[in-house]
Amino acid sequence: MSAHSHEIEEGLSFQPRFDASGLVTCVATDVATGDVLMVAHMNDEALRRTIATGEAWYFSRSRNALWRKGETSDQTQRVVEMRTDCDQDAVWIRVEQIGAACHTGRRSCFYRKVEAEDGGAKLVFVDADRLFDPDAVYKK
């Protein structure tokens, strides 16, 4: 193990390893239930703002823009704890979710289960009740 690897894996210095696009993957879970709410990406600025404000900030790859969770929907995430994985290329935030985490209006982005079917796979809705109407919240 190189000295650099040892510092990344065992040291106490937060040194996030961004990918070629300047992003780290972020997994957000509900602090009360442990449920996975969403997976998104953070660039350096989103990570810094999240740490500084205690609110979840992300980087949208599709919009190529920084965004604060809930800035449009009021479905916010207060960060209770942030962790990084062993090689510091992903972060896990445990949050108090206000309302829905998913832009579809559902509590979690993981509202469909994958089931085997005829040698392939199909999706089945689970925990898919909507907490808000996305068409009403995200008026175009």
Side-chain angles (χ1 to χ4, degrees):
M1 177 184 292
S2 73
H4 180 71
S5 296
H6 182 76
E7 177 58 30
I8 293 290
E9 295 172 1
E10 302 295 332
L12 297 180
S13 176
F14 186 42
Q15 301 176 47
R17 293 181 47 217
F18 298 97
D19 67 14
S21 299
L23 303 173
V24 294
T25 301
C26 178
V27 178
T29 62
D30 186 291
V31 70
T33 65
D35 292 344
V36 177
L37 298 173
M38 58 185 280
V39 175
H41 297 89
M42 293 180 169
N43 63 3
D44 183 62
E45 186 176 357
L47 196 52
R48 283 187 283 109
R49 285 188 184 195
T50 299
I51 292 166
T53 67
E55 296 181 281
W57 285 79
Y58 299 105
F59 184 83
S60 170
R61 295 178 298 172
S62 61
R63 294 188 315 259
N64 196 34
L66 186 71
W67 59 282
R68 182 182 54 80
K69 181 67 177 161
E71 68 187 20
T72 303
S73 67
D74 290 328
Q75 314 292 303
T76 61
Q77 293 176 340
R78 187 182 74 78
V79 179
V80 175
E81 180 181 52
M82 178 184 285
R83 296 187 187 191
T84 190
D85 70 336
C86 56
D87 56 0
Q88 298 197 41
D89 65 356
V91 293
W92 167 29
I93 57 175
R94 297 174 66 224
V95 302
E96 286 181 350
Q97 177 67 52
I98 306 303
C102 186
H103 74 281
T104 67
R106 295 177 174 95
R107 175 97 176 125
S108 168
C109 294
F110 294 88
Y111 55 86
R112 293 173 292 178
K113 178 171 59 166
V114 179
E115 291 185 350
E117 179 181 74
D118 299 325
K122 69 174 184 176
L123 298 177
V124 177
F125 284 97
V126 293
D127 304 322
D129 293 341
R130 283 197 166 92
L131 302 179
F132 69 85
D133 176 1
D135 290 335
V137 170
Y138 302 111
K139 295 179 177 83
K140 301 239 175 345

